[in-house]
Amino acid sequence: MITRLFQRASVLLVLVFLPAVPHAQGLGDLPPVKTTKKTPTGTTPRPKTTPTPKPRSTPKPTPTPKPTPTPPVSYRREPAAVPPVSFNQATAGKLDPQTAGRITATSYYDEYKLTATTADLFTIQLETSDPSLAVQIFDQHQAGQPIQRDPQTNEFKLATPGSTLPSDGEYRVRVLGTIADAKAPAVAYTLNIRRSGLTEEGYVARLERVVRAFNSSGGKNADETITAIEELIAADPNKPKGYETLAVAYLYYRKDLTKAVSLMEKAIRLGGAAMFKVTHDSQWRRPEKKGDVIEFPDLRTSWLYIRPDQVTLVDTTDPQKIYFSFGGKQIKEVNRVGPSPLLNIRPQGRGLKPFLIHPITRNVAEAEIMVNMIRSYVLKQN
């Protein structure tokens, strides 16, 4: 019964709520294209989130431009003049800020041209009231040469091997000093490059060049040769070989026996020798008359060297060929044969033949000088 009542009520409810359909045949208008969205039942609409505004970026500060560096002031300049300077000649100078070369704000220098060789031995004297002044040496490529001041003599010396320059040529000698004010007065000084001598190797090499040049010319440049040897002696007056060679030049090319003997004695005092060119026979026979002249049968030419306590005869064409070499105690006597220029050198010992020689010039005065020198320096009789 209850079920039936429930079924009837359901039918009535359906009838009540069904809309009336006037035309069952048509389906009616189409629904609008745009529809309102319905909020789902039971769903809480999400509140719109207001986006957090992005923080405004702080503008980058404009970089401060770096200051352009100011180029350093260059004080460098060359000296107004570079005069020549020679060995053993004092040169008076003034380090003047107005005309001197300049390196820094307070550093000034003078320069001098010096022609020198690898054989030159020298020191540099610098006399001045200003203790800041010093000396430097540069070669042609502006390379400085090591130099130092001797604390005892206050002289400047090369600190190179052998205390010599590396090559022949022109060098610059610089006098360097400090002057605080560019308008200050000049600083006076005296520069003296004192050559004390030459190296042994350099001395011999220079002399050999002079001798070769003279011999290759056939003896035609005697004056030039004498001048060159005199310059070598001036460069080093304490070596004997220059005097030996110069004496020979004066004796045989200037015909000045007095000057030649003076040079020979100087050479002997320095440990060298007096040199005479002589002739003799290969078997030490007496000279014979050949036509209008008197000559040795088998002629030889040699150099006679007279040194303290020694007299030596050496072949002119072969220096290794020594005919004799006697000390003072090995000689019995030395004299001239009569008025002739023939010399008789008789050694000690029985049965030994005398050595007969005479100067190639046949000059009696020269022969007499040879006898006296042997007696004085070898036999120690005078």
Side-chain angles (χ1 to χ4, degrees):
M1 185 66 176
I2 296 172
T3 303
R4 290 180 180 175
L5 291 174
F6 181 77
Q7 290 177 345
R8 287 181 181 177
S10 300
V11 171
L12 290 174
L13 287 171
V14 171
L15 292 175
V16 172
F17 286 97
L18 284 176
V21 181
H23 304 288
Q25 303 94 312
L27 296 178
D29 299 331
L30 295 173
V33 177
K34 292 183 179 182
T35 57
T36 303
K37 291 183 179 181
K38 293 183 178 179
T39 302
T41 305
T43 303
T44 304
R46 295 179 179 176
K48 292 183 178 180
T49 304
T50 304
T52 304
K54 293 182 179 180
R56 294 182 181 180
S57 60
T58 304
K60 295 182 179 179
T62 303
T64 304
K66 294 182 179 180
T68 303
T70 304
V73 178
S74 176
Y75 294 96
R76 288 190 172 274
R77 73 174 183 221
E78 297 292 322
V82 184
V85 66
S86 301
F87 288 113
N88 302 323
Q89 292 185 1
T91 300
K94 289 184 178 181
L95 190 61
D96 188 343
Q98 302 303 314
T99 59
R102 196 173 185 181
I103 301 174
T104 66
T106 59
S107 182
Y108 297 85
Y109 68 95
D110 286 344
E111 272 191 350
Y112 298 89
K113 292 182 290 187
L114 173 69
T115 300
T117 71
T118 57
D120 292 313
L121 298 171
F122 61 89
T123 59
I124 302 178
Q125 292 179 333
L126 184 65
E127 297 179 0
T128 178
S129 60
D130 189 339
S132 76
L133 265 60
V135 172
Q136 297 174 332
I137 298 180
F138 297 86
D139 64 15
Q140 295 177 347
H141 306 291
Q142 294 298 310
Q145 303 302 307
I147 193 170
Q148 61 187 12
R149 190 196 296 261
D150 188 320
Q152 296 181 345
T153 64
N154 214 32
E155 294 179 337
F156 292 87
K157 299 179 180 180
L158 286 171
T160 57
S163 299
T164 57
L165 294 168
S167 61
D168 297 354
E170 183 180 288
Y171 289 83
R172 297 293 179 94
V173 179
R174 178 177 293 183
V175 177
L176 179 74
T178 300
I179 301 177
D181 187 352
K183 296 182 180 180
V187 179
Y189 61 84
T190 300
L191 178 71
N192 191 0
I193 306 174
R194 298 180 64 253
R195 181 164 52 192
S196 57
L198 302 174
T199 63
E200 187 65 29
E201 291 182 358
Y203 184 94
V204 172
R206 284 178 61 176
L207 184 58
E208 286 179 341
R209 286 196 296 269
V210 173
V211 172
R212 278 198 303 269
F214 175 76
N215 292 339
S216 64
S217 72
K220 295 179 181 179
N221 60 345
D223 291 339
E224 294 177 11
T225 300
I226 288 173
T227 299
I229 299 173
E230 288 174 340
E231 290 175 351
L232 180 60
I233 290 174
D236 193 335
N238 298 314
K239 289 184 170 58
K241 287 193 174 295
Y243 297 99
E244 293 176 358
T245 310
L246 188 61
V248 172
Y250 269 95
L251 179 60
Y252 298 118
Y253 298 96
R254 287 277 178 89
K255 311 298 182 183
D256 190 338
L257 182 58
T258 302
K259 177 70 172 179
V261 171
S262 174
L263 292 167
M264 290 175 184
E265 291 177 337
K266 179 70 173 178
I268 292 173
R269 287 195 296 271
L270 291 172
M275 300 166 57
F276 297 90
K277 185 175 283 189
V278 301
T279 58
H280 57 89
D281 182 70
S282 62
Q283 304 300 318
W284 308 109
R285 293 167 293 193
R286 285 178 175 271
E288 300 173 351
K289 187 173 183 180
K290 293 182 178 181
D292 295 334
V293 298
I294 297 177
E295 193 56 86
F296 291 105
D298 187 16
L299 185 67
R300 295 287 187 270
T301 304
S302 299
W303 285 106
L304 184 73
Y305 293 85
I306 302 173
R307 295 183 173 90
D309 198 39
Q310 187 180 44
V311 58
T312 306
L313 191 68
V314 182
D315 190 90
T316 55
T317 60
D318 183 4
Q320 302 303 316
K321 188 174 183 178
I322 300 175
Y323 289 103
F324 64 75
S325 183
F326 297 134
K329 295 181 179 180
Q330 297 174 295
I331 299 174
K332 184 176 182 179
E333 63 177 343
V334 176
N335 51 43
R336 282 196 299 122
V337 179
S340 73
L342 187 64
L343 272 69
N344 172 29
I345 302 176
R346 186 179 296 276
Q348 295 280 5
R350 292 183 180 181
L352 296 179
K353 296 175 61 175
F355 294 91
L356 300 174
I357 62 175
H358 62 57
I360 197 170
T361 60
R362 309 291 179 88
N363 187 322
V364 174
E366 183 180 337
E368 187 65 24
I369 287 171
M370 292 165 62
V371 170
N372 291 335
M373 280 192 165
I374 294 174
R375 289 174 177 172
S376 297
Y377 294 108
V378 183
L379 301 180
K380 312 293 185 181
Q381 293 181 350
N382 296 331

